[in-house]
Amino acid sequence: MLSLIGYVTMLVILALLLTQKVSPVVALAGVPLVAALIAGQSLTDVSEFVSAGIAGVADVVVMFIFAIVFFGILRNAKFFDPIIDRIIRFGGSSPRTVAVATTLLACVVHLDGAGATTFLVAIPAMLPLYQRLGMSRLTLSTCVALGAGVMNMLPWGGPTARAAATIKADANDLWAPLIPAQLVGIIAALAVAWYLGHREAKRLDRVPVDDSANAAVIDATSAAGIGPSAAAPRTGRSSRSSETLAETGSSAGSDASGGADISGESDSTRGSAAAGPTPLSLILNGLVLIAALAAMMTGAISPALTFMVATILALLINHRGMAGQSEQFDLNAKSCMLMASTLLAAGVLLGVLDESGMIEAMAESAIAVLPAGIMPVLPIIVAVLGVPMSLLFGPDAYYFGLLPVLASVGSTYGIDPVVLGQASIIGQETLGFPISPLTGSFYLLVGLAGVPIGKHIIRATGWLWLVSIVITIVAIALGVIPLWVS
């Protein structure tokens, strides 16, 4: 009976999350509370379950809040601007380097773990170059997706934080062993971007000369902050190719955002009108960032304390007085509250499932149904199917709905839940999030790039899946993901 209540609870939560009928907080916290009462638990017991669950995710919540504020401070202080400018200039006028620069820019901007910020910065910055060279906007959206996806494995990104909360592990314990595999994934993403640029160059060689829009495009390029070398006209290239027009169904002068705001501003960037970073602030901010990343990689101190200290130092370096420092929390409040409240609600769910015995009962019943033959390779199956599964499960639905059951079932066969967490973050809503219609930032990506949703998914899925498989192979070679669990 307890397992049946558990499965019904998870199915109801999945249905609510997938159909987006209610807020994730309502689904993740409200449904398990009702289920616990139906199972005959007293209010005192339910209160204890909730307290235990929230205590289990507290460290992850603290880390996430201070990580968002920390990277928001650096972004508002324009710390990343010199890096972004250099990357854009690196793109030049070759489709190959432009594609590589696009993916590299997305990687750098996604250091803060926010997909919306990545798309708001990378796409408007690179779109004028694509327009001038006549490159496909689908290539732009795919290259941005590659960079953002491979960087979404970071411990302060949504999927890793969710996985850590679900399996009650330190987010750093999930990420640190995967760092070499992620680095190889970044290289693979850049290699794919180069190939896509090479393919664009070959296509553009067949495009007839049309210089009629050069002046307008050069103006747009200058507005994006790109240097003269990048804005120089490319002889023999159309401003917009026939393929690009077919993809977007719009004229050369149309709004690339499809009505979306492409100003590059978000809640965390508005209201900060700093003139620009000074050499001293760049050095100090860089040292704090390097120290924070080093602490995360070595595990010397907890991620929560790491970003708490980093935030304090960033506030002291970049802002004087209480008003300026308090403003940074105001600017990042929305992002912090959305994720923190979701994680705390997930803590309620996990506390009820664990402490009431539901998850154990569900695992025992699942063992009787699932074929034992797939269990030794369950981590590999989870890792390989992560990208396509992102089309079916949003981050909350998978990490708070499906992963707890997988982890519990896997434990009975000797599979460490940490391994299943690591296998999940290789593809599920990491490399898979830029093609997932179940995430809000996905619509920002296709809207800013001005590409049809279906064509973007078809074009990007294979390349994102390929990079996730490369990361999986490296993780298996390193022994992080076991080839066979005996």
Side-chain angles (χ1 to χ4, degrees):
M1 182 63 180
L2 196 58
S3 65
L4 178 60
I5 294 175
Y7 279 117
V8 171
T9 299
M10 299 311 297
L11 287 174
V12 171
I13 291 174
L14 285 174
L16 291 174
L17 292 175
L18 290 174
T19 58
Q20 300 181 1
K21 295 294 185 183
V22 297
S23 162
V25 173
V26 175
L28 294 171
V31 175
L33 290 177
V34 174
L37 295 175
I38 293 175
Q41 304 292 342
S42 68
L43 290 176
T44 301
D45 290 338
V46 173
S47 179
E48 292 176 354
F49 298 163
V50 171
S51 296
I54 290 177
V57 302
D59 283 348
V60 178
V61 173
V62 173
M63 178 206 71
F64 202 89
I65 289 173
F66 282 101
I68 289 176
V69 175
F70 172 65
F71 283 104
I73 293 169
L74 294 189
R75 187 169 57 248
N76 294 339
K78 305 185 184 299
F79 170 76
F80 297 107
D81 283 10
I83 302 173
I84 293 172
D85 290 342
R86 288 180 180 272
I87 291 173
I88 293 174
R89 288 190 173 91
F90 164 75
S93 58
S94 165
R96 298 173 183 85
T97 55
V98 167
V100 172
T102 303
T103 299
L104 185 60
L105 177 61
C107 287
V108 171
V109 179
H110 203 76
L111 272 173
D112 69 351
T117 300
T118 302
F119 302 147
L120 282 167
V121 172
I123 295 177
M126 299 304 296
L127 182 57
L129 277 174
Y130 280 75
Q131 289 177 312
R132 176 168 61 84
L133 299 177
M135 293 177 64
S136 166
R137 292 188 183 206
L138 285 172
T139 299
L140 169 62
S141 65
T142 301
C143 288
V144 172
L146 285 164
V150 75
M151 292 299 287
N152 211 36
M153 294 171 62
L154 293 169
W156 50 90
T160 304
R162 288 178 174 90
T166 297
I167 63 176
K168 297 181 179 178
D170 194 322
N172 200 50
D173 292 339
L174 294 178
W175 175 62
L178 286 171
I179 291 175
Q182 185 181 15
L183 291 175
V184 173
I186 293 172
I187 295 172
L190 293 172
V192 170
W194 184 91
Y195 173 75
L196 293 176
H198 175 71
R199 194 168 65 177
E200 280 291 285
K202 292 179 66 176
R203 179 183 66 81
L204 290 170
D205 285 339
R206 301 190 295 271
V207 175
V209 177
D210 178 12
D211 293 329
S212 60
N214 272 347
V217 173
I218 291 174
D219 289 342
T221 307
S222 299
I226 302 170
S229 62
R234 176 186 170 96
T235 305
R237 294 288 178 262
S238 67
S239 142
R240 292 289 302 276
S241 70
S242 57
E243 177 183 317
T244 308
L245 287 170
E247 288 166 359
T248 62
S250 60
S251 64
S254 66
D255 184 1
S257 69
D261 175 12
I262 60 171
S263 64
E265 289 187 330
S266 62
D267 285 342
S268 60
T269 58
R270 263 185 214 105
S272 186
T278 64
L280 179 60
S281 68
L282 279 175
I283 293 172
L284 294 177
N285 285 326
L287 290 175
V288 173
L289 176 59
I290 292 171
L293 295 177
M296 292 291 295
M297 292 177 185
T298 60
I301 57 178
S302 71
L305 181 58
T306 296
F307 282 110
M308 186 181 294
V309 173
T311 299
I312 293 171
L313 294 175
L315 285 171
L316 293 174
I317 292 169
N318 298 285
H319 300 280
R320 299 289 184 267
M322 186 178 69
Q325 294 172 0
S326 298
E327 182 190 21
Q328 296 305 306
F329 288 94
D330 293 338
L331 292 173
N332 294 282
K334 182 178 179 180
S335 299
C336 291
M337 279 302 299
L338 285 174
M339 190 62 191
S341 59
T342 300
L343 288 173
L344 290 172
V348 174
L349 167 65
L350 299 172
V352 170
L353 290 179
D354 287 345
E355 301 298 323
S356 68
M358 282 187 198
I359 195 71
E360 184 177 351
M362 293 166 66
E364 291 175 356
S365 60
I367 291 170
V369 177
L370 293 175
I374 70 168
M375 290 303 160
V377 293
L378 182 60
I380 294 178
I381 293 175
V382 169
V384 170
L385 295 181
V387 169
M389 287 283 283
S390 297
L391 293 168
L392 303 176
F393 293 95
D396 293 331
Y398 177 83
Y399 285 102
F400 299 141
L402 190 58
L403 183 57
V405 179
L406 289 174
S408 183
V409 172
S411 295
T412 62
Y413 286 90
I415 302 174
D416 188 347
V418 171
V419 172
L420 286 173
Q422 291 169 325
S424 297
I425 65 174
I426 286 176
Q428 180 66 42
E429 292 297 340
T430 48
L431 277 154
F433 99 90
I435 58 164
S436 175
L438 302 170
T439 58
S441 58
F442 164 80
Y443 298 98
L444 190 61
L445 167 60
V446 296
L448 289 171
V451 297
I453 291 175
K455 287 188 176 182
H456 168 75
I457 292 176
I458 293 171
R459 176 71 68 90
T461 298
W463 299 116
L464 292 166
W465 199 359
L466 173 63
V467 174
S468 77
I469 291 173
V470 170
I471 295 175
T472 301
I473 292 172
V474 176
I476 292 172
L478 294 172
V480 179
I481 305 297
L483 190 60
W484 185 271
V485 179
S486 56

